[in-house]
Amino acid sequence: MSIWEYANPVKFMRTSGAILPWVVAGAALCTVAGLVWGFLTPEDYKQGSTVKIIFLHVPAALMAINIWLMMLVTSLIWLIRRHHVSALAAKAAAPVGAVMTLIALITGAIWGQPMWGTWWEWDPRLTSFLILFLFYLGYMALWEAVENADSAADLTGVLCLVGSVFALLSRYAVNFWNQGLHQGASLSLAPGERMAAVYRYPLYLTMAGFFLLFLALLLIRTRTEIRRRRLAALLARENRA
Amino acid sequence: MTELGRYAGTVLAAYGASLVLLVGIIVQTVLANARARRELQEHERRG
């Protein structure tokens, strides 16, 4: 069996329909349990109860970057192998990525105000995240602006390649420029920097929940795009007849 | 029940804004999928 079999829309619809209920159940369970567990964690000695924001901020930021990288992979598959399902998967993922980026930006601003004394700072990581959000908006706008679906997939694929620089920059900005307010990696394994287990385990659970939530939304949205494309093809065929 | 102390407004605002956005994208996804499925089924039924 080859992975390219799933580039067949019929095969994709059949397989995604079978696994979707399990993914939805897993997403609901992990996200709700993780957020409730995180909300009930004790106050941090430095940050007080604002530490609870980490259970939203970190998983959302992680997904914001990784969704763009997933879009990069599926866009490259489209550009190289011309599999329509991969282009539609990239299109389907973008609004979810934009929402994850917005959640990371909003929770970061809300968290930053009491901790840093400011809602916003032109810090390398914050700025690259804002640019990533603008790339998400531009990517979605480009899909809507181009009438021909294949041309739209080509153009958005190229835009995705360019935006990947900012997706990676938003991940490693703290390492590139040793300045700014934002801290380094939240889940460091370095001795003395490791997060306490009382926060680490619920954070792992919410990260799994956000990943499964993205996967569920991606499958549903890709199925929607395949149906829309099928309907458009049927209407075009009727108009030609 | 957990104690949020003097940062209660901050924590609740972060959770509230995030939940609104998450519920929003979930609802939009489900509604768009239902609409696409209905439109395709109606078209295929008409032949």
Side-chain angles (χ1 to χ4, degrees):
Chain A
M1 194 183 78
S2 161
I3 192 172
W4 303 116
E5 284 181 29
Y6 297 97
N8 178 331
V10 175
K11 175 87 174 169
F12 178 86
M13 291 297 276
R14 195 183 308 132
T15 308
S16 62
I19 66 168
L20 194 51
W22 297 100
V23 178
V24 169
L29 192 69
C30 291
T31 306
V32 172
L35 287 178
V36 170
W37 188 3
F39 198 78
L40 296 175
T41 52
E43 287 191 7
D44 176 62
Y45 78 101
K46 261 193 206 166
Q47 304 189 52
S49 62
T50 64
V51 72
K52 298 172 199 291
I53 298 173
I54 201 171
F55 305 108
L56 293 160
H57 182 73
V58 170
L62 194 71
M63 291 314 301
I65 298 168
N66 288 318
I67 289 172
W68 191 276
L69 296 181
M70 169 257 152
M71 288 162 57
L72 171 66
V73 172
T74 50
S75 295
L76 285 174
I77 292 172
W78 160 255
L79 291 171
I80 295 166
R81 297 190 64 127
R82 312 305 281 180
H83 289 316
H84 286 103
V85 172
S86 62
L88 295 179
K91 182 185 181 187
V96 187
V99 165
M100 291 296 179
T101 315
L102 192 56
I103 289 174
L105 285 168
I106 291 173
T107 54
I110 293 172
W111 199 0
Q113 208 286 325
M115 293 299 109
W116 297 338
T118 180
W119 298 94
W120 180 261
E121 183 70 38
W122 295 102
D123 160 289
R125 181 170 278 188
L126 274 64
T127 307
S128 55
F129 247 86
L130 179 63
I131 295 172
L132 179 63
F133 179 63
L134 297 177
F135 262 99
Y136 270 118
L137 296 184
Y139 180 91
M140 291 187 288
L142 191 54
W143 262 108
E144 297 304 317
V146 181
E147 201 171 329
N148 181 280
D150 285 1
S151 301
D154 287 341
L155 292 170
T156 53
V158 174
L159 180 65
C160 198
L161 278 170
V162 178
S164 298
V165 175
F166 288 94
L168 290 170
L169 206 59
S170 56
R171 170 68 185 83
Y172 296 106
V174 176
N175 305 349
F176 292 153
W177 295 289
N178 191 22
Q179 60 180 24
L181 288 173
H182 202 286
Q183 69 188 56
S186 296
L187 288 169
S188 172
L189 296 175
E193 289 182 19
R194 198 162 191 205
M195 186 186 288
V198 69
Y199 302 119
R200 197 167 68 240
Y201 293 126
L203 182 57
Y204 286 155
L205 193 58
T206 47
M207 284 161 63
F210 272 51
F211 169 73
L212 289 170
L213 177 62
F214 163 65
L215 187 59
L217 292 172
L218 175 68
L219 290 176
I220 297 171
R221 297 182 78 93
T222 306
R223 290 166 66 82
T224 304
E225 293 299 333
I226 289 172
R227 288 185 172 118
R228 281 180 180 156
R229 197 178 175 91
R230 163 104 179 123
L231 181 61
L234 289 173
L235 290 170
R237 194 184 301 166
E238 282 176 13
N239 289 339
R240 278 199 303 271
Chain B
M1 189 60 192
T2 185
E3 290 292 323
L4 297 176
R6 66 193 177 108
Y7 296 122
T10 303
V11 176
L12 292 176
Y15 272 75
S18 302
L19 291 181
V20 165
L21 287 168
L22 287 176
V23 170
I25 190 73
I26 291 169
V27 169
Q28 189 272 334
T29 299
V30 171
L31 290 180
N33 186 52
R35 185 178 171 191
R37 180 164 50 189
R38 189 176 60 246
E39 286 177 353
L40 184 59
Q41 282 174 344
E42 282 174 6
H43 190 84
E44 287 178 334
R45 206 170 27 244
R46 283 201 306 269

